Amino acid sequence: MRQNFRWQERHNTEHMMGYAEKNKNFLTIIEKCNELIFFIKKNGDFIHVTTSTEQLFGFSNEEYLGFNILDTVHPEDLNHTKERLQLVVSSSGANVNLKFRSRTKQSEYRWIEGVMTNLLDDSMQSLMFRFNDITDRINSENEQALLIQEFTKRNQDLNQFVYIISHNLRTPLANLIGLINILETDLLDDYNKGIVELFKCSTDRLSETVFDLTHILTLKDNQGVKITKVNVQKAFEKVCHSFNEQIKQLGVLLTSSFDCSHVNFNKSYLESILMNLFSNAIKYRLHSRKLEIKVKLTRDNHNNCILSFSDNGMGIDMKANKDKLFGLHQRFHNHITGNGVGLFITKSQITSLGGHIEVKSAVNEGTTFTVTFKGETVNLLNQNYQPVLQ
């Protein structure tokens, strides 16, 4: 038995030496390039490995001669590796991509990835597997996957918490607002009237915050958001009616024109966007001149509708605030009340449905928001449109 083993060991060594001598020039070039390469027989037995491969896995060239490549493959990768080996053997000159975990002398496994080439009919008379060690990359990807999984769960838990809080606050908050509205303030003295007014302001602000939280969470989950051909003129007219009294009192100068009447979008989102932009224009107007609002809808060469919404209000210092313009709870005029979520919601509504928004602004000169709505447009009118005010 021992004699047979020694004979086999001597035979393997002689075969390896003969293979190395036969392909001496080629192997010399390979070694100088520090390549990681397995040379194996048709049945998977090792014939030769490069020095870099010896250093990576810890086995010597002579030790590899006693192995079949499948002996080194991780059990979970074995079936896939067998299939790939059969594929490369079946066709002369074939190149097959292969990735698996290969065992080291310390009984650990390293991920390797490369190309197995059929050189059986070549002077090399072997299968050549030229590969790279990708263990660090795989470990990094696995760590990132675990982090993403953890962050996703935390985000879901946080969303659920906010849903519960906002839901549980709505009913008592609505009751408080209702009680304040039916309170007979005429029976109170000036001091208590002031307290009630402060209480009313606080509940209104809390109501806005709860609404915004719910709205933001809804934007993060776009499932079920309906896309239709929305009539922009009608949506704009509806928003104008909402601000009818303020438009009259302030003498707002409105100019609007529409080259296309419809956009592919969500109707509620579009009305909310126009409402936010209109509200900001009024809120951040300059008191030294009449507010002018210009709305224009055009079509570009890519069949997208471009909405331009301009005002001549206070404007924004873009150099100082450009990067945080659409951030959550960002405000740029501290002397005016607000919760800083309007533009965040506006951008989220636009980008969630494939659109894009840009801003140009200058202090005391005004602001222009440009919104791009992706997709087909219909009913081109080429006419000016003035909103109907009552």
Side-chain angles (χ1 to χ4, degrees):
M1 184 73 175
R2 181 172 295 180
Q3 288 179 344
N4 289 338
F5 175 78
R6 287 177 178 173
W7 178 87
Q8 183 65 42
E9 186 179 43
R10 185 171 62 255
H11 174 76
N12 289 340
T13 303
E14 289 173 353
H15 182 80
M16 178 271 291
M17 292 176 65
Y19 183 86
E21 183 64 29
K22 184 178 179 181
N23 300 283
K24 182 177 180 180
N25 293 335
F26 178 77
L27 294 177
T28 299
I29 296 173
I30 291 294
E31 292 291 353
K32 287 183 178 180
C33 295
N34 294 320
E35 295 276 4
L36 295 168
I37 300 179
F38 289 150
F39 292 96
I40 61 175
K41 298 179 182 178
K42 183 178 182 179
N43 65 358
D45 289 343
F46 283 98
I47 303 174
H48 183 79
V49 302
T50 58
T51 302
S52 296
T53 304
E54 291 178 307
Q55 294 171 350
L56 178 63
F57 292 104
F59 292 113
S60 66
N61 202 357
E62 290 75 11
E63 289 173 310
Y64 267 115
L65 292 177
F67 298 153
N68 185 285
I69 189 172
L70 296 179
D71 297 333
T72 69
V73 176
H74 192 284
E76 294 178 3
D77 304 329
L78 196 56
N79 289 336
H80 174 71
T81 304
K82 285 181 179 178
E83 291 175 0
R84 304 302 285 177
L85 282 173
Q86 291 172 0
L87 183 62
V88 72
V89 167
S90 65
S91 179
S92 177
N95 292 301
V96 174
N97 294 324
L98 186 58
K99 181 172 75 172
F100 61 90
R101 284 163 285 186
S102 185
R103 181 166 53 88
T104 69
K105 193 168 186 176
Q106 293 75 34
S107 295
E108 298 173 346
Y109 286 92
R110 300 196 67 83
W111 277 100
I112 58 176
E113 181 180 47
V115 177
M116 181 82 75
T117 303
N118 186 333
L119 300 176
L120 293 172
D121 294 336
D122 193 85
S123 60
M124 297 299 294
Q125 296 181 342
S126 66
L127 302 176
M128 181 179 73
F129 182 42
R130 185 178 179 183
F131 60 90
N132 292 312
D133 178 18
I134 60 169
T135 305
D136 291 342
R137 190 190 84 191
I138 294 294
N139 290 340
S140 177
E141 290 174 355
N142 290 338
E143 288 175 4
Q144 289 178 7
L146 288 174
L147 284 174
I148 291 172
Q149 184 178 1
E150 182 180 351
F151 286 147
T152 300
K153 185 179 184 305
R154 288 186 179 184
N155 190 50
Q156 290 172 343
D157 292 342
L158 181 59
N159 286 349
Q160 186 64 27
F161 173 75
V162 175
Y163 274 124
I164 292 170
I165 292 298
S166 61
H167 179 270
N168 291 345
L169 283 176
R170 282 181 212 163
T171 300
L173 187 56
N175 291 338
L176 283 174
I177 293 173
L179 289 171
I180 293 172
N181 290 334
I182 65 174
L183 185 64
E184 296 288 345
T185 55
D186 292 341
L187 302 177
L188 301 175
D189 56 30
D190 291 341
Y191 176 77
N192 286 307
K193 283 182 181 179
I195 292 177
V196 171
E197 187 60 32
L198 290 173
F199 188 49
K200 184 178 186 302
C201 289
S202 296
T203 53
D204 287 343
R205 290 291 300 279
L206 181 57
S207 179
E208 289 179 10
T209 300
V210 171
F211 174 80
D212 289 337
L213 282 173
T214 306
H215 203 164
I216 290 168
L217 287 174
T218 303
L219 286 171
K220 289 184 178 181
D221 183 9
N222 275 327
Q223 294 182 5
V225 175
K226 188 177 181 180
I227 307 289
T228 60
K229 293 188 183 299
V230 187
N231 190 311
V232 184
Q233 296 179 3
K234 289 184 178 180
F236 181 59
E237 182 176 345
K238 183 176 179 179
V239 170
C240 288
H241 281 307
S242 300
F243 292 96
N244 197 34
E245 289 302 318
Q246 289 164 290
I247 291 171
K248 285 182 177 181
Q249 290 177 7
L250 300 173
V252 179
L253 301 176
L254 283 175
T255 305
S256 58
S257 64
F258 297 87
D259 290 339
C260 47
S261 63
H262 291 72
V263 295
N264 289 328
F265 209 65
N266 177 267
K267 184 174 181 291
S268 296
Y269 279 15
L270 179 61
E271 291 176 359
S272 174
I273 291 164
L274 292 171
M275 188 75 73
N276 271 324
L277 296 180
F278 213 118
S279 176
N280 280 350
I282 291 176
K283 186 182 293 185
Y284 301 110
R285 68 187 184 279
L286 273 176
H287 294 274
S288 59
R289 63 186 176 219
K290 276 194 174 184
L291 174 61
E292 294 183 25
I293 295 177
K294 298 179 181 179
V295 178
K296 183 170 63 173
L297 189 66
T298 58
R299 186 175 58 164
D300 66 11
N301 295 331
H302 302 286
N303 214 30
N304 300 317
C305 266
I306 312 297
L307 174 69
S308 173
F309 193 105
S310 302
D311 66 61
N312 64 339
M314 295 179 180
I316 302 169
D317 184 346
M318 295 299 288
K319 288 184 178 179
N321 300 302
K322 183 178 180 181
D323 294 335
K324 56 184 180 179
L325 189 62
F326 294 103
L328 187 59
H329 297 303
Q330 296 293 336
R331 298 179 59 219
F332 313 106
H333 302 282
N334 293 327
H335 63 288
I336 297 175
T337 59
N339 51 20
V341 299
L343 289 181
F344 173 83
I345 290 174
T346 295
K347 183 178 181 181
S348 298
Q349 289 171 324
I350 293 167
T351 57
S352 67
L353 298 183
H356 180 67
I357 184 170
E358 294 180 349
V359 184
K360 290 184 179 180
S361 187
V363 176
N364 295 329
E365 293 183 15
T367 304
T368 297
F369 291 92
T370 303
V371 181
T372 302
F373 297 97
K374 298 292 183 182
E376 181 186 1
T377 59
V378 296
N379 295 339
L380 303 184
L381 297 183
N382 294 319
Q383 63 181 23
N384 288 337
Y385 166 78
Q386 292 295 334
V388 178
L389 302 179
Q390 296 179 349

